[in-house]
Amino acid sequence: MRRFVDRGAIYAGWVGVGMAVTIAVSFLLVIPIEPVLWLLALPAGLLIGYYANARSNRQAGPWRRILANGLYAGVLTAATLALCFLLTKWVFFSADNGYRSAADGGPIVGCETGAGCVYARYLEAGKGPELEAAGITNVDEFAAFYWREQLGTAGTVFVLGLLGGIGGAAIYGIARPKAAPAPGTRNEHPVTPSA
């Protein structure tokens, strides 16, 4: 059976999955700064696309194999970033029960856990007129709007990671080390005696 990617690219793809989970946990849960996830998607893809070929020790061979290695590792990395993003959003969206500390005014009263409480938070934050201008006047419309936005963001993260993977492979292809000469061959220019 013929492989479409090198064994090193398969390994690199799993490294990319681990890297994506680490980035997502770090910037969605530990230090929740969501835009950092978007900013790191492209460099993470670049790194993993390059690494897929370096791990495969791809010194020679067709460009299509180099790009396929980067594409494979980039897809795994980008998909993991996007899925971690959506999973985190789903957990917080569905588990929101309106809790707020006493210093922030206490719990939001009268909201239903999940979309109802998230919608109530948006309204309390003064986003009501903005939502109404977009035609959103109830919880169901808000939930549909919210998930369209999150899927759009996840799609952007995926595309950035994927483009990074292909870009990293292209960088490797341009800068890759050349194959060493075969043993027993000489790679020296003959010296002509001077007159």
Side-chain angles (χ1 to χ4, degrees):
M1 185 170 123
R2 187 173 168 181
R3 263 188 246 148
F4 294 103
V5 297
D6 294 324
R7 189 179 302 273
I10 294 169
Y11 180 86
W14 288 109
V15 170
V17 167
M19 179 174 60
V21 169
T22 302
I23 291 169
V25 167
S26 299
F27 295 106
L28 293 174
L29 297 173
V30 178
I31 306 169
I33 308 171
E34 185 182 309
V36 173
L37 181 75
W38 313 339
L39 296 173
L40 289 179
L42 183 63
L46 285 167
L47 184 64
I48 210 64
Y50 188 95
Y51 179 64
N53 287 290
R55 177 75 187 186
S56 300
N57 197 22
R58 176 89 14 215
Q59 296 176 340
W63 268 94
R64 70 178 180 273
R65 179 57 70 100
I66 291 169
L67 294 175
N69 286 341
L71 179 66
Y72 173 81
V75 164
L76 284 179
T77 304
T80 303
L81 278 171
L83 288 173
C84 285
F85 171 79
L86 289 173
L87 180 63
T88 304
K89 289 294 183 175
W90 176 78
V91 167
F92 284 103
F93 185 84
S94 61
D96 191 343
N97 62 1
Y99 173 80
R100 285 187 308 195
S101 67
D104 291 328
I108 299 172
V109 180
C111 69
E112 188 175 326
T113 299
C117 289
V118 177
Y119 183 52
R121 285 185 195 279
Y122 273 67
L123 294 177
E124 285 195 354
K127 304 269 186 189
E130 196 177 312
L131 291 172
E132 285 179 20
I136 299 161
T137 57
N138 61 48
V139 174
D140 292 334
E141 291 171 347
F142 171 77
F145 165 78
Y146 179 88
W147 286 113
R148 273 194 312 272
E149 294 291 310
Q150 303 316 314
L151 286 171
T153 300
T156 300
V157 166
F158 178 80
V159 168
L160 287 172
L162 182 62
L163 290 176
I166 295 168
I171 291 169
Y172 182 87
I174 293 167
R176 67 183 149 167
K178 303 304 176 214
T185 61
R186 297 182 62 140
N187 195 20
E188 298 155 355
H189 297 291
V191 179
T192 56
S194 57

